[in-house]
Amino acid sequence: MAMTRQNAAPISGGDPDPVTEAVDLICGRYGDRPDALIEMFHDLQDGLGHVPETALKPIAKRLNLSRAEVHGVLSFYHDFHTKPVGRVVVKVCRAEACQSMGALPLIAQICDRLGVGLGSTSAGGSVTVEPVYCLGNCALAPAATVGGVLHGRVDAERVAALVTEMTGEAG
Amino acid sequence: MALIDDVDFGTPARPSAATVTLLIDGAPVTVPEGTSIMRAAQEVSRPIPKLCATDKLEPFGSCRMCLVEIEGVRGTPASCTTPVREGMNVTTQNARLERIRKGVMELYISDHPLDCLTCAANGDCELQDTAGEVGLREVRYGMDGANHFDAQVKDPIDVSNPYFQFEPSKCIACSRCVRACDEVQGTLALTLEGRGFASKISAGLEMDDFFSSECVSCGACVQACPTATLMEKSVVDHGVPTRSVETTCAYCGVGCSFKAELKGSEVVRMVPSKSGGANEGHSCVKGRFAWGYASHKDRITTPMVRESATDPWRKASWDEAIDFIATRFKDIQARHGKGAIGGITSSRCTNEEVYVVQKMIRAAFGNNNVDTCARVCHSPTGYGLKTTFGTSAGTQNFKSVEQADVILLIGANPTDGHPVFASRMKRRLRRGAKIIVVDPRRIDLVRTPHIEAAHHVPLRPGTNVAVMNAFAHTIVTEGLVDEAFVAQRCDMVEFERWRSFVSEPENAPEALAEKVGVDAETLRAAARTFAAAPNGAIYYGLGVTEHSQGSTMVMCMANLAMATGNIGREGVGVNPLRGQNNVQGSCDMGSFPHELPGYRHISDADTRALFEGDWGVHLHDQPGLRIPNMLDAAMDGSFRGIFVQGEDIAQSDPNTKHVQAALAAMDCVVVQDLFLNETAAHAHVFLPGTSFLEKDGTFTNAERRINRVRPVMAEKSGLSEWETVCRVARAMGYPMHYDHPSQIMDEIARLTPSFAGVSFARLDRDGSLQWPVNDAHPDGAPIMHVDGFVRGKGRFMITRYVPTEERSNRHFPLILTTGRILSQYNVGQQTRRTANSLWHPEDVLEIHPHDAEERGIVDGDPVSINSRVGATTLHARISDRMAPGVVYTTFHHPLSGANVITTEFSDWATNCPEYKVTAVQVNKSNLPSDWQAHREEFVAEHYRVTEPAE
Ligand code: SF4
Ligand code: SF4
Ligand code: SF4
Ligand code: FES
Ligand code: FES
């Protein structure tokens, strides 16, 4: 626990892993400036495909921030993935307006059709489905993005078709 | 969580000379400029409903519960974030506001489990109270929309912290916990993760729970939480407390004020008091949570005696035990002279308890063989500051640090040792002050979230004086002396002598760099930063005093403060961070062999006459024996009886084996304590002591603040400690009698000029007082030496650096230094008996990766540590917090026997032992040392208690 660990953070020997290496490179690029945290996340995601949880401690240490602060910023932005994601990412809104237009059953149907659980990635790594809270498209609820493109008034069929189009595979 | 009888003003006070007058619901009110409408309304008892605001935190404006109407202003602004303006006309209650608030409340409640009646916080919940205040009776939304409390979606309760739990389904996302951790504690362990409906409180990373997070368990978030989300487990288990008693923490020299909250006669929780001068509503894990030792099953509550220390203990009545002591002590004196007995006072006991012990020794024993455990920590402070300034105490109150621009921190680790003060310090640093850390280790304050030291001087242990001389040299030779201050306030002859001494080339940073192990440029830069500060403040701890040049070092710091003009106002000063809760008090109370209460020398005939008149005895005019002298005299047979009040010299004093041998050589060892400690293994009489929850008296903290300690339960032993001592004195033939501890304080006040105005009645009225309290300072003195030094002119002292004789060499190539950690206290007698041990189950040896590798040691290996006096075995922790060549450990557990290896070297002036420097060798090993193996048998033998035959 922190109270003892902070007093004597044990140092593990050996070579740094690729995540720590990426963190060092990227944080160094921005001079360890805490105000560049979001850019660092973008660069990490560009390089590694996602921002792994294991990157947060070394980032916090270099930027002299607490772990909670780094985690708080990362979790605030829907654009960052903390786990490897599929080639296509589907984000379905489940905030008030969309819920009133049946977003919850819709999410279940989409997951069903694509054969993937909410918040996870399909076995072949082709598609990830994630919930979001308001895409600012309330007038055209229910709303979703597929591969970063916003669509309104969606249904499961249409989402599945868009995914197939982008992956070239059947969901 | 809301405290019993505590008004929450909603937003912090804004001290300001300028005031503003406005109307609140038609009533005129005048408040300092910058005050919020919410606070102003509370001032005139027009409380405004609130959820996200509390007066320990900056306003946040997120819950929209506190809306008001202001004449001529459109809409309904939040009263917590809107400051008052002259002539404002505010309405806090009307039909429209009621409607809006009810609507907001309904939204909160619709996503909150409605189990108030079975909730642990029932009756102590601001959400519940506020719902009542706004008149919410029904929830229109129904409870079946998306929510956070249905069994399927509900996050599990996090019970990982031993003292409090986190039940997310009850969270209203007000962020008070996050802000408390940030603004009050300064750890930033919490965050509001995600956003919108998905947002929730998280302790660090996704994978963290509270225990694995950076949380230090201070409890600030639990206190700030308006719901049962963050809740003390003791309240969950025992229910909401019903009454409270204001008292003082007995753990460290910060001296935090607490409300002990009780249900019947059981303590349910300890909550820091907002009115506490030292802590202003904050606390640390020890005072807030680690008080369970007071009712631990190991506590001894009946007196015990035995003929010889190898016999089993036998339970005895008070009369029998006291008789036993008096008979033996008198017998020893008859055969070996008056001076063959003595006593040691405790820095954990109240001023009143300490006072009666020294009085018993001087008046009933008829000698001055009284000493205190402060000998092992802060005696050099007393000596050094008295010589230079004229008083044996720190110069500032804690609050003063809020005005400091540069903080020079030497040999102290406040985030572990003085956590509540550390939070104040961090707050100041985050607002822009700079810190210079002089410490062999890279302590937290060198670099911790949002704080980075301007300079870290990782000196070699034992070279403090060299560092200070290098600083002084830089300041003098670079023309950075505050000449005007020195000319006005200090003795110029002494100053000129000092100036030429520090200017000598041997004191130049360049000449000392190698000895210190830090390059000259770092030394110069740090000195310049300090000298340039408009307000420079020095804080120091045991890393300064526990050295062979401890007293010299204290004088070095006093010189530095005078030379840079940093004495006599807020934001400056020379401040010891005292270890135990009442070190200051026990020293003030005449615990040293050469000083009567108030630091007056025993050889002074006038002072003696004063006490002789009051006490009706003749006092011996020569100083008595110090602890080390008592022990040495025991070895040669001339000292044979000792009364040890609440101390464990066999564990806390250096060179354990020597102490044990000395105790074993005595005819009568009396120990008064809570538990059978290490010293008690050699005792003939054990007198059960009282925990702070049973004491009635006062403690004096590191800022000279006298705080009341009030009993919340009857003495478990049936007798107060002061009365026990009086009875021993009477049995020895000296009439010593008080009806109440307040009479002891009255006597202290009568005989001690610096306490002249102190009484229990006064303390009960004013909360606390910082001595001196006398005609010159009727309300006490938060800051000392304001208009001149107590001794008249400030006195510069020559401080030549003399390397300690304890040096690393071929056989003992490493330097061992010792310290403490947050969750444990001193020898751990109390904290080890609480869940705090989860954080520190054992003492470990921190060793630099380089030194470890050389010896083939990996993290977690058992290692043996040998010095020229002894050996012990600990587990290694590889850490780069120290420079290569330096190893570090704590001394909280008896089995580690860290003091088996420390040596008998001590401060030249005061005999304060040199805990901080011991030359050692470290090797991989898997056997317990001889000492440890022996101890197991020894403990089994010496702690036996025979049950009386039925
Ligand atoms: S207990 Fe203290 S350190 Fe831990 S999260 Fe709460 S406020 Fe922060
Ligand atoms: S845990 Fe308590 S203080 Fe923190 S956001 Fe939730 S309700 Fe507010
Ligand atoms: S800082 Fe010291 S006095 Fe305050 S609660 Fe912690 S241990 Fe007690
Ligand atoms: S509620 Fe779904 S887009 Fe706004
Ligand atoms: S109390 Fe003012 S907005 Fe929450």
Side-chain angles (χ1 to χ4, degrees):
Chain A
M1 130 66 156
M3 287 201 266
T4 34
R5 245 195 268 137
Q6 276 185 343
N7 278 322
I11 311 190
S12 50
D15 298 323
D17 61 303
V19 172
T20 317
E21 250 169 41
V23 166
D24 285 343
L25 184 79
I26 290 166
C27 292
R29 192 180 291 162
Y30 295 96
D32 289 327
R33 279 189 357 257
D35 60 354
L37 184 56
I38 296 168
E39 282 90 330
M40 294 173 191
F41 286 150
H42 277 297
D43 288 9
L44 268 171
Q45 181 148 312
D46 289 348
L48 302 171
H50 67 294
V51 184
E53 177 96 331
T54 49
L56 301 190
K57 270 190 207 179
I59 294 179
K61 201 165 174 192
R62 286 198 63 135
L63 272 52
N64 206 16
L65 298 172
S66 78
R67 265 138 65 184
E69 287 178 281
V70 176
H71 172 67
V73 171
L74 181 68
S75 66
F76 189 79
Y77 296 96
H78 301 311
D79 290 343
F80 298 121
H81 305 288
T82 51
K83 302 207 177 68
V85 290
R87 288 189 289 286
V88 180
V89 178
V90 177
K91 295 183 181 179
V92 197
C93 173
R94 55 178 288 182
E96 278 80 13
C98 291
Q99 267 197 35
S100 69
M101 295 298 287
L104 297 184
L106 172 70
I107 291 174
Q109 288 160 17
I110 292 175
C111 289
D112 206 37
R113 283 203 74 125
L114 297 174
V116 52
L118 185 61
S120 50
T121 302
S122 62
S126 57
V127 58
T128 303
V129 181
E130 291 179 338
V132 289
Y133 295 87
C134 196
L135 291 163
N137 201 25
C138 316
L140 294 176
T145 63
V146 179
V149 185
L150 181 62
H151 302 274
R153 298 257 152 81
V154 291
D155 56 31
E157 225 154 301
R158 206 162 130 232
V159 171
L162 287 163
V163 170
T164 316
E165 209 172 281
M166 299 187 75
T167 57
E169 297 166 24
Chain B
M1 193 68 42
L3 304 185
I4 295 176
D5 25 87
D6 232 355
V7 177
D8 186 344
F9 286 87
T11 64
R14 296 277 186 245
S16 163
T19 60
V20 167
T21 300
L22 68 158
L23 285 178
I24 292 185
D25 294 334
V29 50
T30 303
V31 291
E33 199 172 65
T35 303
S36 71
I37 294 178
M38 174 176 280
R39 191 176 174 102
Q42 182 64 58
E43 296 275 6
V44 286
S45 303
R46 302 287 309 179
I48 299 173
K50 60 185 186 307
L51 285 176
C52 68
T54 180
D55 58 11
K56 288 276 290 166
L57 304 173
E58 290 301 313
F60 195 55
S62 74
C63 75
R64 316 303 296 166
M65 184 58 63
C66 66
L67 309 183
V68 292
E69 286 180 0
I70 303 171
E71 195 180 86
V73 174
R74 288 197 21 216
T76 48
S79 63
C80 62
T81 49
T82 311
V84 293
R85 264 183 297 101
E86 188 64 41
M88 245 181 189
N89 186 358
V90 179
T91 304
T92 72
Q93 304 284 358
N94 63 24
R96 174 186 177 213
L97 292 169
E98 196 176 304
R99 199 167 8 95
I100 302 177
R101 288 181 191 149
K102 231 176 178 166
V104 174
M105 186 46 107
E106 230 175 325
L107 283 171
Y108 276 105
I109 295 290
S110 67
D111 187 16
H112 194 84
L114 287 184
D115 60 357
C116 290
L117 286 181
T118 52
C119 177
N122 188 21
D124 186 24
C125 170
E126 290 178 47
L127 184 66
Q128 194 181 37
D129 295 348
T130 311
E133 261 170 63
V134 303
L136 185 69
R137 295 284 171 267
E138 57 174 0
V139 179
R140 285 167 302 171
Y141 298 100
M143 310 292 290
D144 39 12
N147 64 44
H148 291 97
F149 58 81
D150 279 350
Q152 313 87 293
V153 293
K154 181 163 142 177
D155 284 317
I157 303 180
D158 177 350
V159 293
S160 61
N161 182 292
Y163 298 116
F164 62 83
Q165 63 178 41
F166 172 61
E167 188 174 349
S169 65
K170 292 186 171 165
C171 179
I172 58 170
C174 65
S175 253
R176 270 159 69 160
C177 53
V178 178
R179 290 178 286 137
C181 196
D182 172 351
E183 295 172 27
V184 178
Q185 165 58 24
T187 294
L188 299 107
L190 302 179
T191 186
L192 192 64
E193 121 187 349
R195 59 172 152 178
F197 181 78
S199 61
K200 60 177 186 194
I201 297 303
S202 161
L205 307 180
E206 193 87 35
M207 55 179 135
D208 278 322
D209 54 23
F210 268 82
F211 194 75
S212 74
S213 74
E214 287 167 301
C215 166
V216 294
S217 199
C218 72
C221 56
V222 182
Q223 211 178 320
C225 180
T227 66
T229 313
L230 282 163
M231 189 70 162
E232 297 90 352
K233 288 182 179 172
S234 59
V235 177
V236 175
D237 291 344
H238 301 293
V240 175
T242 50
R243 66 189 181 95
S244 75
V245 177
E246 185 92 25
T247 189
T248 303
C249 176
Y251 268 123
C252 87
V254 179
C256 297
S257 299
F258 277 86
K259 282 180 199 280
E261 297 194 339
L262 302 111
K263 197 172 174 183
S265 57
E266 285 301 307
V267 180
V268 177
R269 67 176 164 195
M270 298 285 289
V271 187
S273 310
K274 278 195 288 191
S275 56
N279 57 320
E280 298 181 288
H282 192 33
S283 62
C284 83
V285 62
K286 291 191 282 287
R288 178 87 152 89
F289 296 118
W291 38 268
Y293 69 88
S295 45
H296 194 276
K297 63 169 173 40
D298 288 355
R299 253 190 84 177
I300 308 284
T301 52
T302 37
M304 299 196 299
V305 298
R306 56 185 173 187
E307 285 305 309
S308 126
T310 51
D311 292 342
W313 283 109
R314 185 164 58 75
K315 291 185 179 164
S317 69
W318 279 107
D319 284 345
E320 188 189 352
I322 285 164
D323 238 35
F324 185 104
I325 300 170
T327 310
R328 285 226 173 170
F329 276 174
K330 281 194 283 194
D331 181 57
I332 294 171
Q333 288 192 313
R335 285 189 293 124
H336 302 277
K338 267 200 163 157
I341 61 173
I344 298 178
T345 68
S346 170
S347 298
R348 280 181 243 163
C349 289
T350 63
N351 288 321
E352 294 71 18
E353 289 163 342
V354 169
Y355 179 86
V356 291
V357 170
Q358 64 87 30
K359 181 174 174 182
M360 167 179 77
I361 291 164
R362 297 186 203 277
F365 294 5
N367 63 45
N368 291 315
N369 294 338
V370 53
D371 204 355
T372 169
C373 63
R375 169 79 57 213
V376 305
C377 51
H378 266 297
S379 45
T381 291
Y383 182 87
L385 294 184
K386 183 153 190 183
T387 310
T388 49
F389 299 161
T391 40
S392 297
T395 61
Q396 311 295 115
N397 59 357
F398 289 139
K399 214 177 166 56
S400 156
V401 77
E402 286 159 24
Q403 307 297 325
D405 301 301
V406 172
I407 295 167
L408 176 56
L409 180 70
I410 311 177
N413 185 6
T415 51
D416 283 82
H418 301 85
V420 166
F421 177 66
S423 291
R424 260 187 212 272
M425 206 180 232
K426 283 194 194 177
R427 224 154 34 228
R428 178 64 196 153
L429 293 171
R430 284 172 64 186
R431 287 184 190 146
K434 290 186 185 147
I435 185 165
I436 303 166
V437 177
V438 178
D439 200 294
R441 294 174 78 216
R442 205 181 59 233
I443 59 169
D444 280 356
L445 284 171
V446 173
R447 193 167 190 272
T448 189
H450 300 273
I451 289 169
E452 184 129 32
H455 311 277
H456 177 209
V457 180
L459 77 175
R460 205 164 274 148
T463 61
N464 285 321
V465 169
V467 170
M468 283 295 102
N469 286 351
F471 275 34
H473 180 93
T474 307
I475 286 167
V476 165
T477 58
E478 295 185 9
L480 304 173
V481 170
D482 184 341
E483 303 281 353
F485 179 91
V486 172
Q488 194 197 341
R489 302 282 300 267
C490 302
D491 182 320
M492 288 310 282
V493 177
E494 308 264 15
F495 171 70
E496 289 305 340
R497 194 181 303 150
W498 175 79
R499 186 202 288 266
S500 62
F501 161 71
V502 296
S503 307
E504 287 168 15
E506 67 171 69
N507 288 321
E510 291 69 21
L512 292 165
E514 204 189 312
K515 290 196 186 83
V516 170
V518 176
D519 61 276
E521 210 26 61
T522 302
L523 294 170
R524 280 194 187 267
R528 288 177 196 132
T529 301
F530 184 76
N535 283 339
I538 304 175
Y539 291 88
Y540 69 95
L542 301 181
V544 156
T545 51
E546 289 177 352
H547 281 291
S548 60
Q549 282 199 289
S551 295
T552 312
M553 179 60 185
V554 173
M555 294 190 282
C556 282
M557 294 183 294
N559 290 341
L560 188 69
M562 289 189 287
T564 52
N566 281 311
I567 285 289
R569 59 179 188 278
E570 271 199 283
V572 300
V574 180
N575 304 284
L577 294 172
R578 304 244 175 197
Q580 307 204 51
N581 53 313
N582 201 31
V583 183
Q584 180 69 50
S586 69
C587 296
D588 300 344
M589 290 301 110
S591 286
F592 290 116
H594 64 289
E595 278 169 348
L596 285 159
Y599 304 98
R600 285 161 301 163
H601 207 276
I602 190 80
S603 63
D604 179 61
D606 291 344
T607 309
R608 256 196 346 271
L610 180 70
F611 281 86
E612 286 173 338
D614 201 273
W615 294 356
V617 289
H618 171 75
L619 292 175
H620 197 54
D621 64 355
Q622 292 297 314
L625 299 176
R626 299 170 172 182
I627 294 173
N629 308 129
M630 293 183 206
L631 298 174
D632 291 345
M635 295 304 283
D636 72 26
S638 59
F639 187 85
R640 312 185 75 99
I642 191 165
F643 184 98
V644 184
Q645 177 190 37
E647 279 307 325
D648 199 0
I649 51 172
Q651 195 188 342
S652 63
D653 279 43
N655 198 346
T656 306
K657 287 195 283 187
H658 174 68
V659 179
Q660 288 178 338
L663 288 169
M666 294 189 210
D667 300 329
C668 187
V669 174
V670 181
V671 169
Q672 185 178 37
D673 208 344
L674 298 178
F675 302 101
L676 279 175
N677 58 25
E678 300 284 301
T679 309
H682 306 274
H684 303 86
V685 183
F686 184 88
L687 300 173
T690 50
S691 75
F692 77 111
L693 294 171
E694 297 145 53
K695 289 184 193 296
D696 193 355
T698 57
F699 289 151
T700 308
N701 76 356
E703 38 164 18
R704 294 170 279 103
R705 185 185 299 279
I706 308 163
N707 277 314
R708 280 282 276 127
V709 189
R710 295 186 182 84
V712 307
M713 53 173 87
E715 296 94 1
K716 288 193 188 287
S717 61
L719 203 60
S720 66
E721 289 191 30
W722 59 266
E723 175 59 17
T724 309
V725 173
C726 288
R727 287 198 195 177
V728 174
R730 293 204 292 270
M732 298 276 300
Y734 174 72
M736 188 153 117
H737 179 86
Y738 305 93
D739 294 320
H740 190 266
S742 61
Q743 294 174 345
I744 306 175
M745 180 50 86
D746 293 342
E747 180 174 320
I748 297 167
R750 184 163 78 229
L751 296 172
T752 316
S754 49
F755 278 67
V758 182
S759 68
F760 279 23
R762 181 85 202 274
L763 289 167
D764 289 342
R765 194 187 75 205
D766 296 354
S768 64
L769 290 165
Q770 286 176 272
W771 68 254
V773 189
N774 50 25
D775 289 344
H777 305 275
D779 296 318
I783 312 282
M784 304 266 284
H785 317 297
V786 173
D787 304 311
F789 286 100
V790 169
R791 71 178 300 281
K793 291 280 185 190
R795 180 174 179 199
F796 280 85
M797 297 292 293
I798 302 296
T799 55
R800 197 170 297 283
Y801 168 61
V802 184
T804 167
E805 286 167 46
E806 183 73 15
R807 250 172 285 188
S808 53
N809 55 39
R810 204 154 46 83
H811 300 294
F812 302 110
L814 301 171
I815 291 288
L816 169 76
T817 182
T818 62
R820 56 160 71 184
I821 68 152
L822 171 64
S823 58
Q824 299 284 346
Y825 169 71
N826 198 270
V827 294
Q829 140 157 273
Q830 290 116 314
T831 41
R832 274 187 286 116
R833 291 184 170 90
T834 68
N836 277 27
S837 290
L838 288 176
W839 286 289
H840 187 74
E842 58 175 346
D843 294 322
V844 296
L845 184 82
E846 289 186 31
I847 181 166
H848 190 273
H850 173 80
D851 296 323
E853 199 182 331
E854 236 174 36
R855 292 167 175 76
I857 296 168
V858 301
D859 199 65
D861 272 353
V863 291
S864 76
I865 306 131
N866 295 273
S867 74
R868 63 191 163 71
V869 305
T872 192
T873 305
L874 297 172
H875 287 104
R877 163 142 314 144
I878 315 285
S879 154
D880 65 354
R881 287 188 159 230
M882 291 87 38
V886 183
V887 292
Y888 172 86
T889 189
T890 50
F891 63 107
H892 299 302
H893 292 267
L895 197 58
S896 353
N899 285 330
V900 172
I901 35 186
T902 52
T903 66
E904 70 289 357
F905 283 140
S906 61
D907 175 45
W908 59 271
T910 62
N911 277 158
C912 180
E914 192 174 39
Y915 284 137
K916 298 294 178 188
V917 191
T918 310
V920 295
Q921 175 60 293
V922 173
N923 293 306
K924 219 168 138 161
S925 131
N926 38 33
L927 296 174
S929 67
D930 291 350
W931 179 84
Q932 282 161 319
H934 173 66
R935 183 178 180 278
E936 310 247 313
E937 292 163 32
F938 175 82
V939 166
E941 183 181 325
H942 288 256
Y943 290 152
R944 281 174 301 156
V945 179
T946 45
E947 289 304 323
E950 290 297 316

